[in-house]
Amino acid sequence: MLIPINQQAERFFLACHSSSWVPGYLAERGFDRSAQRAWHIGYAPSEWRALTNHLRGLGFSETAIESSGLARRTSRGTLIDFFRDRAMFPIKSHDGTTIAFIGRSLDAERRYLNSPQTPIYRKRQTLFGLHTLTPDTIPVITEGPLDAIAVTLTGGEGLTGLALCGTALTADHVRVLTRSLDLSRVVLAFDGDQPGRAAAARSYPLFKGICTADAVMLSADRDPAGIFTEDGPAALATILTEQTRPLADLVVDAAIDRWQRSLEYAEGRVGALHSAGAAVAAMAPHDVARQIARVAERLGFDHATVTEAVTDCVTSRLAGGDFPAPLAFGATITRPKGRNPNERSLRGPTP
């Protein structure tokens, strides 16, 4: 019953599209009518019960409508539409079945609204745009549906945009990708602000041992959709293909940046060394050499010193019995009991 309800809701939103603000707004952003049709973008009217009444008229019960996540109960028990006055982006499963929606508002404070969890839709297991993947594609994971669409529309070297549905990237998302294609490389194109970079760095353990993971380095005030709108598809394609870095770079940079305010002091540099060493010790082997070189360059240590710090972290983890389980990003490590008490602990002071 939930799939037919979502299919009917998609048709309803599409029927409301042309008379709304959505076509003009998206066209101004560079997403023309052809793109809007291809992605089945619709519009949820601003009325309280427009969709609910439409679905009732088609014979769906209130219980079924509420269970679909397309309507909710007010404090008075009245059933009202969950999405109102929003551009509607259908979320589809790998086979193209519509299972939920993302609604985009013009209100910057409540820009995106995702369908609540239902028996056929779980945010932590779903990616917007999954149905567009092909066997030879390179998935580019973004934060919002317009970002994902912008990536796909660039046509750059088989890149296909995907978007998170209001949640952090999870191991379930990675499993969905590996079931959908032979995953050899993934690119993260999160917003260029600090939260976006931090989220990308935290994602590293999810891809370790599975595929090559790269990140697009955007400036703090930019995202893929904004670049698509302001600079054009060709500019976005260039950034996605020529301005990527190994995701491991962001992990090490984040570990060192925790000590940024004390790097001018010897103690701060030592603390940053141990923090970065712990991060590198948990990395895939193919990432280690590059990161040792980067840490040495950033902190002014020779390669032997950095290598020793990394090796020491590996030894500590072996002694503690927790290796080779991946180290959670941002965690600290202390030496196991029995080590020389005069040796410096890898748990540095908070900068």
Side-chain angles (χ1 to χ4, degrees):
M1 184 64 71
L2 295 182
I3 289 176
I5 288 180
N6 279 286
Q7 290 173 333
Q8 291 297 336
E10 180 179 356
R11 293 171 186 168
F12 175 78
F13 294 143
L14 286 171
C16 298
H17 172 267
S18 60
S19 60
S20 72
W21 52 263
V22 174
Y25 170 76
L26 292 181
E28 290 179 357
R29 298 287 307 271
F31 304 96
D32 60 21
R33 292 290 184 116
S34 176
Q36 295 176 45
R37 286 193 296 270
W39 288 85
H40 294 191
I41 302 173
Y43 172 71
S46 58
E47 289 86 354
W48 289 99
R49 289 178 287 275
L51 176 62
T52 299
N53 289 338
H54 175 75
L55 294 174
R56 280 201 195 100
L58 294 175
F60 293 105
S61 68
E62 287 199 355
T63 300
I65 297 171
E66 186 176 7
S67 297
S68 72
L70 293 166
R72 64 178 181 84
R73 295 282 179 184
T74 67
S75 58
R76 297 182 178 181
T78 303
L79 199 63
I80 62 173
D81 292 354
F82 187 76
F83 298 101
R84 298 187 302 278
D85 193 25
R86 291 178 180 269
M88 298 300 296
F89 300 84
I91 301 171
K92 298 177 180 288
S93 60
H94 186 264
D95 64 3
T97 301
T98 297
I99 57 175
F101 295 89
I102 299 175
R104 192 187 196 283
S105 171
L106 292 176
D107 183 352
E109 293 185 2
R110 300 182 69 250
R111 182 163 294 170
Y112 285 111
L113 181 65
N114 292 268
S115 288
Q117 180 169 299
T118 71
I120 63 172
Y121 169 64
R122 290 173 175 80
K123 298 177 184 180
R124 295 176 60 84
Q125 300 174 358
T126 306
L127 292 164
F128 173 84
L130 191 66
H131 66 290
T132 65
L133 291 176
T134 59
D136 57 349
T137 193
I138 298 174
V140 179
I141 302 177
T142 68
E143 294 189 39
L146 283 180
D147 295 319
I149 294 172
V151 169
T152 301
L153 290 180
T154 65
E157 297 188 8
L159 301 177
T160 299
L162 304 171
L164 300 171
C165 299
T167 185
L169 191 64
T170 69
D172 285 336
H173 289 135
V174 178
R175 280 190 283 270
V176 167
L177 285 176
T178 57
R179 288 198 300 265
S180 301
L181 73 163
D182 184 12
L183 189 64
S184 60
R185 181 179 179 231
V186 66
V187 177
L188 301 188
F190 292 171
D191 293 358
D193 55 16
Q194 182 57 36
R197 293 191 178 216
R202 286 194 298 270
S203 301
Y204 176 87
L206 302 177
F207 299 103
K208 178 184 173 182
I210 296 176
C211 68
T212 299
D214 294 326
V216 177
M217 304 306 297
L218 303 177
S219 58
D221 59 345
R222 309 213 75 182
D223 56 34
I227 295 169
F228 182 89
T229 299
E230 297 167 14
D231 303 332
L236 178 58
T238 298
I239 290 172
L240 292 172
T241 56
E242 299 181 7
Q243 297 185 24
T244 60
R245 290 167 50 187
L247 186 57
D249 285 10
L250 273 68
V251 177
V252 165
D253 289 346
I256 294 175
D257 289 345
R258 292 170 52 201
W259 298 84
Q260 188 63 46
R261 287 184 289 182
S262 56
L263 288 180
E264 60 184 299
Y265 307 108
E267 184 180 77
R269 289 172 58 243
V270 171
L273 172 63
H274 287 291
S275 180
V280 176
M283 288 182 173
H286 63 80
D287 286 324
V288 172
R290 172 183 170 89
Q291 299 312 318
I292 286 177
R294 294 185 69 249
V295 173
E297 181 178 1
R298 280 202 62 179
L299 298 179
F301 291 107
D302 57 43
H303 284 214
T305 299
V306 178
T307 300
E308 182 180 359
V310 173
T311 302
D312 193 53
C313 288
V314 173
T315 302
S316 295
R317 298 183 69 196
L318 282 168
D322 63 348
F323 193 86
L327 175 68
F329 177 74
T332 55
I333 302 178
T334 54
R335 295 187 187 279
K337 294 180 180 179
R339 297 294 298 273
N340 184 344
N342 294 321
E343 291 180 352
R344 171 183 289 272
S345 168
L346 290 181
R347 184 187 296 273
T350 302

